[in-house]
Amino acid sequence: MEFLYYPGCTLKNKAKDLDLYARRTAEALGVTLTELPEWQCCGGVYPLGRDEIATKLSSVRNLIAARDAGRDLVTVCAACHNVVKQVNHDMATDDYIRTRVNNYLQPETPYEGETQVLHLLEVLRDKVGFDAIREKVVKPLTGRKIGAYYGCLLLRPSKVLAFDDPENPTIIEDFLRALGAEPVIYAQRNECCGAYAAIENENVPKKRAGAVLSNAKANGAEELVTACPLCMYNLKKQADGTGVKVTYFTELLAEALDIR
Amino acid sequence: MQRIGVFVCWCGSNIAGTVDVKKVAETLGHEPGVVFSTDYQYMCSQSGQDLVKDSIRTYNLTGVVICSCSPRMHENTFRKAAASVGLNPYMVEIANIREQVSWIHKDMETATEKAIILGRAAIAKVHLNAPLIAGETPVTKRALVIGGGIAGIQTALDIAEAGFEVDIVEKSPTIGGKMAQIDKTFPTLDCAACILTPKMVEASQQENINIYAFSEVDEVKGFVGNFTVKIRRKARYVKEELCTGCGLCTEKCPQKKVPDEFNLGLSNRRAIYIPFAQAVPKVATIDPNYCTMLKTGKCGVCSKVCGVKAIDYTQKDEIVERKYGAIVVATGFEPIKVDKFEEFAYAQSPDVVTSLEYERLMNAAGPTGGTLLRPSDKTHPHTIVFVQCVGSRCDEKSEKGKPYCSKVCCMYTAKHAMLTREKYPDTEVYVFYIDVRTPGKNFDEFYRRAVEHYGVHYVKGMVGKVTPENGKLKVQASDLLDNRQLHIDADMVVLAAAIEPDKSARPLATMLTASMDTNDFFTEAHPKLRPVESPTAGVFLSGMCQGPKDIPETVSQASACAAKVIGLLVKDKLVGNPCVAHSDEMMCNGCSQCQNVCPYGAITYTEKEFRMPDRTTAVRRVAQVNPAVCQGCGACTVTCPSGAMDLFGFSNNQIMAEVDAICK
Amino acid sequence: MENNNLREQILFTANADPKKCMKCGKCSGACPNYDEMEYHPHQFVSMVQNGDIEPLLKSESLYLCLTCMVCVERCPRNVQPARFIEAVRLAKIRQQGENRLTPQQIPAKIEEDTPQQLLVSAFRKYTK
């Protein structure tokens, strides 16, 4: 199994663990992630305005490169996944955006959303299979009560992301079960952590991530797992001193496969 | 050559406002065979009909073309008018220049042109029309009611009281339907069981009513007045005629962990069970999914304790075939599953319940004996939040919910809120609403009583998130009038789930060739004027299967439906439709394709001897149509590869002549 | 207050129809940052529809929507309130001199573990 891999900026810097263990665990599971050459930053948030054309270009460049290489594009960062997948959807369905983007980029063949964008969790679920992972687990995370923190970006808008039930997702819980851990279900797992408001208003992530943490804890979670570096940043700040550990899903996978 | 008269109707300004009717009459007057052409303000009026009749006499017309509204409206009017002066009614054709022209076009020139073209097509058809004589068929004087809820029971009672036999087919072990699960009824707050169970008993005692409980319709054949229906009597593993309903078996059965569907899984029943005390018929049923004896062959307790030897582990489904003149659909509704609305945490907390579950939690015969206790820890709830419109009034393209208003939720929620406050004045009750819809007799007064007398907090806004935490349900909601977000620590949340037609309705509609709308509600023949008939003759609609309605409305509709059925069953004979298929045996190649597509089973094949050109004889297999069964749908004529099938009144030649006239 | 040109521009950018709204308020019931905001998701929808846009342009609420898309996901009528907030925000920051965040402010905000993602997305949201 070979995929083109789009790491994004943060995974090359502050979220190195997310990247490193994505590659290592994928390799161990027989999945080859080939880094997309000359990838460009996705911009961090999906440009929601219809007339935002320039801000969608970098994502389309990545998508065209994947199409021309004839491979599915795999993301690991939840934000990159959200942006690239939504832009891809625009290119497939919105004439206004498609025409203008193609006019800018002038690709040899106009791009119409042909690339399949997959999050690594989807690859693990649908291509590798959680049962196959369970068999390869060497150090099961037995007895560890872990709350999946989905946040917003993997799930919404669900019509485009088509990742899981946006109000009752199960993919990370199933993933945790495959690793031998005990998933803790709590209602705030799909609510926002405060996101980019952290840049100027500390109060917002404090309140939001705080609500996520207290709800997870009240339901018995001792750890949280995420796929998003910004969620990690906001959660970690609030988790300080609470005894709740926050990790990336790839770290847990590496741990269970004993390649950490 | 026919002598044709053309009559162009203005329909006031409905047609004449967009179509130049004078020009249409003038132009069509020059068509070959047309000997008279005129226009008139209201052709369907008495004087308009007289104009048609007088012209038939004066000009010795052999054919008539009326350019007017849809044939669904007045075809019959003009056919009768023609017949009254001796012209065969099937020599009258309608060109629909209202629904197909004036109502959908704005420009007079194009509309007039199209009206002329449609008139020309009708004239071309009349040239090939031949007089047709309708046959008669007898009427089986028995009705089938599918569904034994309050709608089906009421319809059956009314038909039976008029002296006709009625069979009720009910898929669950007892009649009673959803109403049996309801605690109190709005706006009078009388107990649902107290008013329903007498009707159930009456149905079981009425000598004209026969109840097939725990049965389903397997197959429907035939047509109005003459349906043949196969009913599957599902195996109860209990002999219905022997069981006395003593209930000893249901007490002794060792399998105690079966979710009780009557209590919506809020309590358990045994593997052999009687749904509730007042069940009709009061007969035990074994659930084969849980019965140890049926699954492993080891147990047999119920058989041992049964004093009348009613248990029969070898019982099989049984098919009963019965004939009916009319069929009533009363298949009812279900609340939608709320699993797509997990923002309300239904799957996460047992204290989040649906409204129907709340009915059971309030009911004296329910899992808590009528004491309101929250399911998680069986304690008394002090704060309850009701959420309205869960899955109702959604965007048409929504994959989660329904686009319609479920109609009953505002009132039953007001009832729940009121009853809760009356019984437990220390409980704070919040109702989140989008609009409070109370159009019904004494309905708004009822809702106001909940607010003013019982102090229920009605909040204009919607709940956005429910977070179970530390034994509470943290409810986050908007209060639009105060422009704030509310955070309520609730003990219970009650979801007013949208209602949808019962799942069994869809396959049944296919069997009955009765049409449904996009939401799987049965479609009525006319939304205003024929609300209890389906477009399929002889099939009638009663209750929620046709659309959301409360109990008073359901009962009214059920009685209206019965009136229509009685109107059909009192007839000894029905005049048939002469526009039926017939097969040209010389052209038929015996392929059976027509037989396969015929929805009415009107086509059979026979072996027939034919004289061949070389004077030998050959036996060939040819199609034959039973004109009494054929409904003239035309499926066979378009399927027949050799062109042997044709339809009286809509022959291939007539249709081609119309197409030619349009394309000329 | 009517402002038709601006309203049309915002409706185009938003690419959503405020007329679909049935005023249920579920967006504002679901909004995780409601209490911080002066104008709330349902008000953005309604005020854009009514052309009452000036107060929105002046409001801090523009920068407090987290684009978490909960309002979009839970709206029964598929109104997509976040799109209206985004469209008004864009109408504001596209104006000359209305950048909310400048590179000069950044060094003071950076911590040891500030992810690049935070800076990139903040610039996308607050600056043109």
Side-chain angles (χ1 to χ4, degrees), chain B residues 196-214:
Chain B
L196 172 69
T197 51
K199 293 236 177 228
M200 292 166 63
V201 172
E202 202 185 333
S204 71
Q205 291 174 341
Q206 222 309 341
E207 54 185 21
N208 282 334
I209 295 181
N210 173 38
I211 299 169
Y212 290 119
F214 209 52

PDB file of all heavy atoms in Angstrom, chain B residues 196-214:
ATOM      1  N   LEU B 196     -59.668   3.856  24.976  1.00  0.00           N
ATOM      2  CA  LEU B 196     -59.310   2.951  23.869  1.00  0.00           C
ATOM      3  C   LEU B 196     -59.795   1.519  24.111  1.00  0.00           C
ATOM      4  O   LEU B 196     -60.346   0.885  23.205  1.00  0.00           O
ATOM      5  CB  LEU B 196     -57.793   2.953  23.645  1.00  0.00           C
ATOM      6  CG  LEU B 196     -57.278   1.915  22.653  1.00  0.00           C
ATOM      7  CD1 LEU B 196     -57.714   2.267  21.226  1.00  0.00           C
ATOM      8  CD2 LEU B 196     -55.761   1.769  22.705  1.00  0.00           C
ATOM      9  N   THR B 197     -59.574   1.022  25.336  1.00  0.00           N
ATOM     10  CA  THR B 197     -59.861  -0.399  25.558  1.00  0.00           C
ATOM     11  C   THR B 197     -61.332  -0.768  25.331  1.00  0.00           C
ATOM     12  O   THR B 197     -61.601  -1.851  24.810  1.00  0.00           O
ATOM     13  CB  THR B 197     -59.374  -0.864  26.946  1.00  0.00           C
ATOM     14  OG1 THR B 197     -59.871   0.034  27.926  1.00  0.00           O
ATOM     15  CG2 THR B 197     -57.872  -0.897  26.999  1.00  0.00           C
ATOM     16  N   PRO B 198     -62.310   0.111  25.655  1.00  0.00           N
ATOM     17  CA  PRO B 198     -63.681  -0.262  25.301  1.00  0.00           C
ATOM     18  C   PRO B 198     -63.855  -0.478  23.795  1.00  0.00           C
ATOM     19  O   PRO B 198     -64.598  -1.364  23.370  1.00  0.00           O
ATOM     20  CB  PRO B 198     -64.508   0.943  25.773  1.00  0.00           C
ATOM     21  CG  PRO B 198     -63.675   1.587  26.819  1.00  0.00           C
ATOM     22  CD  PRO B 198     -62.261   1.369  26.412  1.00  0.00           C
ATOM     23  N   LYS B 199     -63.138   0.320  23.008  1.00  0.00           N
ATOM     24  CA  LYS B 199     -63.221   0.158  21.548  1.00  0.00           C
ATOM     25  C   LYS B 199     -62.581  -1.160  21.127  1.00  0.00           C
ATOM     26  O   LYS B 199     -63.047  -1.833  20.202  1.00  0.00           O
ATOM     27  CB  LYS B 199     -62.501   1.309  20.840  1.00  0.00           C
ATOM     28  CG  LYS B 199     -63.169   2.640  21.024  1.00  0.00           C
ATOM     29  CD  LYS B 199     -63.499   3.280  19.679  1.00  0.00           C
ATOM     30  CE  LYS B 199     -64.233   4.592  19.889  1.00  0.00           C
ATOM     31  NZ  LYS B 199     -65.427   4.698  19.054  1.00  0.00           N
ATOM     32  N   MET B 200     -61.482  -1.510  21.777  1.00  0.00           N
ATOM     33  CA  MET B 200     -60.811  -2.776  21.449  1.00  0.00           C
ATOM     34  C   MET B 200     -61.748  -3.957  21.756  1.00  0.00           C
ATOM     35  O   MET B 200     -61.882  -4.882  20.956  1.00  0.00           O
ATOM     36  CB  MET B 200     -59.499  -2.913  22.239  1.00  0.00           C
ATOM     37  CG  MET B 200     -58.423  -1.918  21.815  1.00  0.00           C
ATOM     38  SD  MET B 200     -57.053  -1.793  22.997  1.00  0.00           S
ATOM     39  CE  MET B 200     -56.387  -3.442  22.954  1.00  0.00           C
ATOM     40  N   VAL B 201     -62.379  -3.872  22.924  1.00  0.00           N
ATOM     41  CA  VAL B 201     -63.282  -4.950  23.318  1.00  0.00           C
ATOM     42  C   VAL B 201     -64.472  -5.026  22.351  1.00  0.00           C
ATOM     43  O   VAL B 201     -64.864  -6.094  21.886  1.00  0.00           O
ATOM     44  CB  VAL B 201     -63.778  -4.727  24.766  1.00  0.00           C
ATOM     45  CG1 VAL B 201     -64.872  -5.722  25.126  1.00  0.00           C
ATOM     46  CG2 VAL B 201     -62.607  -4.824  25.735  1.00  0.00           C
ATOM     47  N   GLU B 202     -64.986  -3.821  22.003  1.00  0.00           N
ATOM     48  CA  GLU B 202     -66.111  -3.761  21.075  1.00  0.00           C
ATOM     49  C   GLU B 202     -65.738  -4.427  19.748  1.00  0.00           C
ATOM     50  O   GLU B 202     -66.527  -5.186  19.174  1.00  0.00           O
ATOM     51  CB  GLU B 202     -66.481  -2.297  20.866  1.00  0.00           C
ATOM     52  CG  GLU B 202     -67.896  -2.071  20.372  1.00  0.00           C
ATOM     53  CD  GLU B 202     -68.132  -0.586  20.065  1.00  0.00           C
ATOM     54  OE1 GLU B 202     -67.463   0.274  20.671  1.00  0.00           O
ATOM     55  OE2 GLU B 202     -68.979  -0.308  19.197  1.00  0.00           O
ATOM     56  N   ALA B 203     -64.525  -4.140  19.294  1.00  0.00           N
ATOM     57  CA  ALA B 203     -64.082  -4.732  18.024  1.00  0.00           C
ATOM     58  C   ALA B 203     -64.042  -6.252  18.128  1.00  0.00           C
ATOM     59  O   ALA B 203     -64.405  -6.960  17.186  1.00  0.00           O
ATOM     60  CB  ALA B 203     -62.705  -4.180  17.638  1.00  0.00           C
ATOM     61  N   SER B 204     -63.599  -6.743  19.290  1.00  0.00           N
ATOM     62  CA  SER B 204     -63.483  -8.195  19.416  1.00  0.00           C
ATOM     63  C   SER B 204     -64.856  -8.846  19.562  1.00  0.00           C
ATOM     64  O   SER B 204     -65.048 -10.006  19.224  1.00  0.00           O
ATOM     65  CB  SER B 204     -62.586  -8.561  20.596  1.00  0.00           C
ATOM     66  OG  SER B 204     -63.255  -8.277  21.799  1.00  0.00           O
ATOM     67  N   GLN B 205     -65.842  -8.076  20.072  1.00  0.00           N
ATOM     68  CA  GLN B 205     -67.171  -8.650  20.275  1.00  0.00           C
ATOM     69  C   GLN B 205     -68.097  -8.453  19.083  1.00  0.00           C
ATOM     70  O   GLN B 205     -69.084  -9.162  18.936  1.00  0.00           O
ATOM     71  CB  GLN B 205     -67.806  -8.031  21.530  1.00  0.00           C
ATOM     72  CG  GLN B 205     -67.115  -8.480  22.811  1.00  0.00           C
ATOM     73  CD  GLN B 205     -67.646  -7.757  24.031  1.00  0.00           C
ATOM     74  OE1 GLN B 205     -68.267  -6.703  23.903  1.00  0.00           O
ATOM     75  NE2 GLN B 205     -67.382  -8.305  25.206  1.00  0.00           N
ATOM     76  N   GLN B 206     -67.812  -7.483  18.251  1.00  0.00           N
ATOM     77  CA  GLN B 206     -68.654  -7.210  17.077  1.00  0.00           C
ATOM     78  C   GLN B 206     -68.663  -8.448  16.179  1.00  0.00           C
ATOM     79  O   GLN B 206     -67.620  -8.897  15.728  1.00  0.00           O
ATOM     80  CB  GLN B 206     -68.036  -6.036  16.331  1.00  0.00           C
ATOM     81  CG  GLN B 206     -68.904  -4.961  15.771  1.00  0.00           C
ATOM     82  CD  GLN B 206     -70.061  -5.348  14.905  1.00  0.00           C
ATOM     83  OE1 GLN B 206     -70.122  -6.462  14.365  1.00  0.00           O
ATOM     84  NE2 GLN B 206     -70.997  -4.437  14.784  1.00  0.00           N
ATOM     85  N   GLU B 207     -69.844  -8.964  15.914  1.00  0.00           N
ATOM     86  CA  GLU B 207     -69.848 -10.243  15.193  1.00  0.00           C
ATOM     87  C   GLU B 207     -69.408 -10.106  13.743  1.00  0.00           C
ATOM     88  O   GLU B 207     -69.002 -11.084  13.126  1.00  0.00           O
ATOM     89  CB  GLU B 207     -71.222 -10.899  15.291  1.00  0.00           C
ATOM     90  CG  GLU B 207     -72.367 -10.006  14.846  1.00  0.00           C
ATOM     91  CD  GLU B 207     -73.718 -10.690  15.081  1.00  0.00           C
ATOM     92  OE1 GLU B 207     -73.765 -11.618  15.918  1.00  0.00           O
ATOM     93  OE2 GLU B 207     -74.686 -10.287  14.423  1.00  0.00           O
ATOM     94  N   ASN B 208     -69.471  -8.890  13.199  1.00  0.00           N
ATOM     95  CA  ASN B 208     -69.012  -8.710  11.817  1.00  0.00           C
ATOM     96  C   ASN B 208     -67.500  -8.512  11.709  1.00  0.00           C
ATOM     97  O   ASN B 208     -66.966  -8.407  10.616  1.00  0.00           O
ATOM     98  CB  ASN B 208     -69.717  -7.507  11.184  1.00  0.00           C
ATOM     99  CG  ASN B 208     -71.130  -7.847  10.757  1.00  0.00           C
ATOM    100  OD1 ASN B 208     -71.419  -9.012  10.473  1.00  0.00           O
ATOM    101  ND2 ASN B 208     -72.004  -6.856  10.726  1.00  0.00           N
ATOM    102  N   ILE B 209     -66.839  -8.368  12.863  1.00  0.00           N
ATOM    103  CA  ILE B 209     -65.389  -8.120  12.811  1.00  0.00           C
ATOM    104  C   ILE B 209     -64.619  -9.382  13.163  1.00  0.00           C
ATOM    105  O   ILE B 209     -64.925 -10.067  14.129  1.00  0.00           O
ATOM    106  CB  ILE B 209     -64.974  -6.973  13.769  1.00  0.00           C
ATOM    107  CG1 ILE B 209     -65.598  -5.655  13.307  1.00  0.00           C
ATOM    108  CG2 ILE B 209     -63.456  -6.833  13.816  1.00  0.00           C
ATOM    109  CD1 ILE B 209     -65.243  -4.461  14.169  1.00  0.00           C
ATOM    110  N   ASN B 210     -63.625  -9.654  12.336  1.00  0.00           N
ATOM    111  CA  ASN B 210     -62.732 -10.776  12.585  1.00  0.00           C
ATOM    112  C   ASN B 210     -61.321 -10.217  12.690  1.00  0.00           C
ATOM    113  O   ASN B 210     -60.875  -9.475  11.808  1.00  0.00           O
ATOM    114  CB  ASN B 210     -62.865 -11.761  11.408  1.00  0.00           C
ATOM    115  CG  ASN B 210     -61.848 -12.860  11.496  1.00  0.00           C
ATOM    116  OD1 ASN B 210     -61.550 -13.343  12.581  1.00  0.00           O
ATOM    117  ND2 ASN B 210     -61.297 -13.238  10.358  1.00  0.00           N
ATOM    118  N   ILE B 211     -60.643 -10.526  13.784  1.00  0.00           N
ATOM    119  CA  ILE B 211     -59.309  -9.952  13.995  1.00  0.00           C
ATOM    120  C   ILE B 211     -58.234 -10.988  13.692  1.00  0.00           C
ATOM    121  O   ILE B 211     -58.194 -12.054  14.307  1.00  0.00           O
ATOM    122  CB  ILE B 211     -59.150  -9.438  15.442  1.00  0.00           C
ATOM    123  CG1 ILE B 211     -60.177  -8.333  15.722  1.00  0.00           C
ATOM    124  CG2 ILE B 211     -57.737  -8.915  15.675  1.00  0.00           C
ATOM    125  CD1 ILE B 211     -60.274  -7.934  17.188  1.00  0.00           C
ATOM    126  N   TYR B 212     -57.375 -10.684  12.737  1.00  0.00           N
ATOM    127  CA  TYR B 212     -56.173 -11.489  12.509  1.00  0.00           C
ATOM    128  C   TYR B 212     -55.014 -10.756  13.168  1.00  0.00           C
ATOM    129  O   TYR B 212     -54.356  -9.929  12.529  1.00  0.00           O
ATOM    130  CB  TYR B 212     -55.883 -11.643  11.009  1.00  0.00           C
ATOM    131  CG  TYR B 212     -56.856 -12.520  10.250  1.00  0.00           C
ATOM    132  CD1 TYR B 212     -57.606 -12.002   9.195  1.00  0.00           C
ATOM    133  CD2 TYR B 212     -56.988 -13.870  10.557  1.00  0.00           C
ATOM    134  CE1 TYR B 212     -58.482 -12.805   8.478  1.00  0.00           C
ATOM    135  CE2 TYR B 212     -57.862 -14.680   9.848  1.00  0.00           C
ATOM    136  CZ  TYR B 212     -58.617 -14.140   8.807  1.00  0.00           C
ATOM    137  OH  TYR B 212     -59.472 -14.937   8.112  1.00  0.00           O
ATOM    138  N   ALA B 213     -54.794 -11.024  14.455  1.00  0.00           N
ATOM    139  CA  ALA B 213     -53.660 -10.377  15.112  1.00  0.00           C
ATOM    140  C   ALA B 213     -52.408 -11.196  14.827  1.00  0.00           C
ATOM    141  O   ALA B 213     -52.495 -12.369  14.451  1.00  0.00           O
ATOM    142  CB  ALA B 213     -53.901 -10.276  16.608  1.00  0.00           C
ATOM    143  N   PHE B 214     -51.250 -10.571  15.007  1.00  0.00           N
ATOM    144  CA  PHE B 214     -49.965 -11.204  14.735  1.00  0.00           C
ATOM    145  C   PHE B 214     -49.956 -11.758  13.305  1.00  0.00           C
ATOM    146  O   PHE B 214     -49.534 -12.882  13.049  1.00  0.00           O
ATOM    147  CB  PHE B 214     -49.686 -12.316  15.753  1.00  0.00           C
ATOM    148  CG  PHE B 214     -48.210 -12.524  15.996  1.00  0.00           C
ATOM    149  CD1 PHE B 214     -47.393 -11.466  16.322  1.00  0.00           C
ATOM    150  CD2 PHE B 214     -47.633 -13.783  15.900  1.00  0.00           C
ATOM    151  CE1 PHE B 214     -46.036 -11.644  16.535  1.00  0.00           C
ATOM    152  CE2 PHE B 214     -46.269 -13.970  16.111  1.00  0.00           C
ATOM    153  CZ  PHE B 214     -45.479 -12.897  16.433  1.00  0.00           C
TER     154      PHE B 214
END
